[in-house]
Amino acid sequence: MVLAAGLGKRMQSQSTKLIHAIAGRPMVRHVVEAAKAAGMARTVVVVGSQADEVRRAVGEGDKRIGFAYQDSQRGTGHAVLCAESQLAGYEGDVLILNGDLPALLPETLKTFIEFHRASGAPLGLMTAVLKEPQGYGRVVRTYSGDVSRIVEETDATLEEKAIKEINCGIYCVDAAWLWDPLKRARADNAQREIYLPDLVEILRRDGHKVAAYRHPDADEVLGVNDRRELAAAVRALHRRKANALMDTGVTILDPETTYIDVDVKVASDTVIEPGVMLLGATEIGRGATIGTGSRIADSVVGDGTVVLPYCVITQSRVGRACRIGPFAHLRPDTHLDEEVRLGNFVETKKIRMGQGSKANHLTYLGDAEIGRRANIGAGTITCNFDGVSKLRTVIEDEVFVGSDTQLVAPVRVRRGAFIGAGSTITKDVPAYALALSRAQQVVKEEWARRHGPKARRKSGGSRQDR
Ligand code: UD1
Ligand code: MG
């Protein structure tokens, strides 16, 4: 069971904290995925605040995931009770997780569940020791070291606040000892809420043992309640991802400044320079280089491709052995075959470009289809917008487009044609033809000697004298 009905006021946000993105996934999805990977047969997510958004963030359509609804946020204990009917008839252990634990690892959950089963206690909880435990519920132990209860920060005495062992918000409880005992919890606390951690004291009073598993890696179980904790979680997940990639043969020159989202794939022998962001569902091939300052989101980059510094690539596919940038901007739906070159200040959008084609400088290519081995000169612009709709340009194989050309769509330049520099192409160009549209050059011999600035200075004349 994942508790995800709260709003998270400490985030100071319009949207519930559970849908805030952390390393490429909404916060709550990290928790649901960890539960799944730990082998949960079924997951019930308790939603409430912005329920539809949270459902979407979790992902619908997976039969193993169900939702329960908490209509008003009356505390974590109340949230659990809202899922009772979803679990009617279920016998066995229930793993309960706060939805704000994005760094949680499935292996940790497996270890915890084993610990709980071995303990024989109806309730097990995970704890950790923090240098700065502020904000967390503290684990109060008896003289002999048994857990006796959890006290929330807002209800704690000074003495209790000094306790460094915290409740992680991860519980494993036998369903037989969950529902009825929890219904006895009262909202007689500073926040006027039904606290799930009160189950500890309730079961203890009934004479049960509560087993506490102290997790050694506190960073993994840090709750995200405000923006500072969000930044800490993002950093922890990026660092973990970088380590995992380095272990599989990816060179990351500076893991501290490199942000790679959890779902990104990078093949071995690829080099990632400092300050790179690889986001969302990005996949980078083998032996590629991603230059400093580049940001690649939801894109595929092929084997051996070099992305030079400061490129922005979004929802695009770059083939094998390409050379992109520096300072190239590949907007959504750019599809490049192998060995394509795009140089500095080239912007693309909704294009296909065939093998070996080049656009090396200062160019805009939008809504275009470009064949193989075409050469697009510096300053080429596809004029794809007539003020109402977007229109297509087709440039076939081996076309040579001279510098500073405008291609006014819809227009097609057929195979092997040449376009003279400085042309404005408004009509289709036949195969192997030369098309030119620039004005004829005018030459006036000796004009500068007679009318140029030097001549004017000599005669003391003004502009009108010309
Ligand atoms: C909670 C624990 C605290 C523990 C800490 C660990 C309680 C009362 N306190 O505090 O002991 O140290 O987590 O991170 O449980 N939620 C609901 N419905 C509600 C209230 C909360 O679904 O009515 C959900 C939230 O969306 C969140 C989770 O429960 O995902 C925890 O709530 P949160 O407000 O973050 O509790 P903490 O104050 O962090
Ligand atoms: Mg919390």
Side-chain angles (χ1 to χ4, degrees):
M1 187 188 307
V2 177
L3 308 183
L7 181 62
K9 293 190 195 74
R10 288 162 278 179
M11 290 287 277
Q12 306 286 345
S13 173
Q14 300 279 81
S15 53
T16 156
K17 72 175 174 185
L18 294 146
I19 64 172
H20 279 253
I22 295 184
R25 286 181 187 167
M27 189 183 316
V28 64
R29 197 152 85 223
H30 286 280
V31 182
V32 173
E33 293 293 334
K36 255 201 253 172
M40 294 304 114
R42 194 157 168 254
T43 303
V44 175
V45 184
V46 183
V47 296
S49 306
Q50 300 176 8
D52 290 342
E53 286 86 341
V54 176
R55 264 175 216 257
R56 237 175 285 133
V58 167
E60 285 157 303
D62 185 335
K63 286 203 183 72
R64 288 171 301 171
I65 298 178
F67 293 92
Y69 191 73
Q70 185 190 26
D71 55 3
S72 64
Q73 281 59 66
R74 290 193 272 147
T76 48
H78 178 254
V80 169
L81 290 173
C82 291
E84 185 180 5
S85 61
Q86 292 272 329
L87 288 168
Y90 172 78
E91 285 172 20
D93 290 332
V94 185
L95 177 71
I96 305 176
L97 307 172
N98 283 358
D100 60 355
L101 304 168
L104 199 54
L105 286 170
E107 297 75 57
T108 303
L109 291 177
K110 283 186 192 160
T111 311
F112 172 58
I113 293 163
E114 271 164 36
F115 166 88
H116 165 73
R117 296 221 161 121
S119 75
L123 171 65
L125 89 154
M126 198 185 295
T127 73
V129 174
L130 301 190
K131 273 199 209 89
E132 291 172 7
Q134 286 74 17
Y136 288 92
R138 310 293 209 284
V139 180
V140 181
R141 288 179 181 265
T142 63
Y143 218 64
S144 52
D146 294 337
V147 176
S148 73
R149 62 192 180 95
I150 307 293
V151 59
E152 294 303 306
E153 170 97 20
T154 43
D155 305 305
T157 61
L158 273 179
E159 225 170 45
E160 288 164 340
K161 280 182 185 159
I163 298 172
K164 302 258 190 264
E165 187 183 12
I166 61 116
N167 165 31
C168 296
I170 298 165
Y171 318 81
C172 198
V173 47
D174 184 341
W177 302 104
L178 175 58
W179 313 111
D180 289 335
L182 188 55
K183 281 174 198 155
R184 282 160 31 212
R186 293 287 155 255
D188 51 359
N189 50 56
Q191 303 188 69
R192 306 261 131 240
E193 287 185 353
I194 311 279
Y195 291 161
L196 175 58
D198 282 357
L199 188 60
V200 173
E201 196 177 0
I202 292 168
L203 291 180
R204 283 277 299 170
R205 287 226 182 104
D206 289 351
H208 295 288
K209 216 183 123 203
V210 172
Y213 170 76
R214 201 179 287 171
H215 187 55
D217 179 7
D219 284 347
E220 190 191 322
V221 289
L222 293 183
V224 173
N225 301 296
D226 58 30
R227 306 270 182 165
R228 291 179 188 219
E229 287 167 343
L230 181 97
V234 169
R235 185 180 319 115
L237 289 181
H238 282 148
R239 184 67 226 213
R240 186 190 287 167
K241 180 73 184 183
N243 288 343
L245 288 175
M246 290 189 286
D247 289 346
T248 59
V250 176
T251 295
I252 299 179
L253 295 180
D254 184 10
E256 297 305 322
T257 63
T258 304
Y259 297 161
I260 306 179
D261 281 351
V262 289
D263 294 316
V264 169
K265 294 185 182 124
V266 186
S268 67
D269 286 327
T270 283
V271 176
I272 300 175
E273 294 182 358
V276 165
M277 301 180 91
L278 303 178
L279 309 176
T282 292
E283 288 179 32
I284 311 286
R286 189 180 284 271
T289 299
I290 310 297
T292 190
S294 292
R295 180 188 190 276
I296 304 180
D298 300 315
S299 297
V300 176
V301 173
D303 295 346
T305 284
V306 176
V307 175
L308 290 160
Y310 304 104
C311 291
V312 175
I313 301 177
T314 309
Q315 290 165 36
S316 292
R317 298 183 76 92
V318 178
R320 211 178 44 71
C322 293
R323 197 179 163 86
I324 310 295
F327 299 102
H329 185 188
L330 278 59
R331 292 167 49 205
D333 266 329
T334 294
H335 294 257
L336 308 181
D337 286 352
E338 53 200 51
E339 294 159 20
V340 166
R341 284 174 168 236
L342 296 183
N344 33 210
F345 309 108
V346 171
E347 176 185 347
T348 62
K349 186 216 71 174
K350 266 199 185 167
I351 67 157
R352 298 199 79 91
M353 207 162 172
Q355 183 239 324
S357 286
K358 295 175 191 165
N360 277 334
H361 334 262
L362 302 160
T363 287
Y364 172 62
L365 300 169
D367 301 287
E369 189 148 332
I370 297 153
R372 286 181 285 174
R373 295 179 300 282
N375 190 358
I376 312 294
T380 297
I381 295 171
T382 52
C383 308
N384 57 333
F385 188 50
D386 63 1
V388 181
S389 43
K390 293 286 166 68
L391 302 158
R392 287 189 71 72
T393 299
V394 180
I395 298 170
E396 295 185 357
D397 294 351
E398 288 162 20
V399 162
F400 181 97
V401 179
S403 297
D404 194 23
T405 292
Q406 300 99 54
L407 297 150
V408 182
V411 72
R412 175 182 286 264
V413 183
R414 293 190 189 272
R415 193 185 172 93
F418 259 70
I419 295 177
S423 294
T424 301
I425 300 299
T426 54
K427 288 182 227 139
D428 288 2
V429 179
Y432 301 103
L434 168 68
L436 274 177
S437 78
R438 56 184 181 233
Q440 284 288 322
Q441 183 169 323
V442 176
V443 175
K444 296 189 177 178
E445 298 287 352
E446 294 295 309
W447 181 93
R449 265 195 236 285
R450 275 182 266 128
H451 300 290
K454 262 189 189 161
R456 269 183 278 146
R457 232 177 283 133
K458 251 187 222 159
S459 68
S462 67
R463 284 175 73 91
Q464 276 92 40
D465 297 340
R466 277 185 295 165

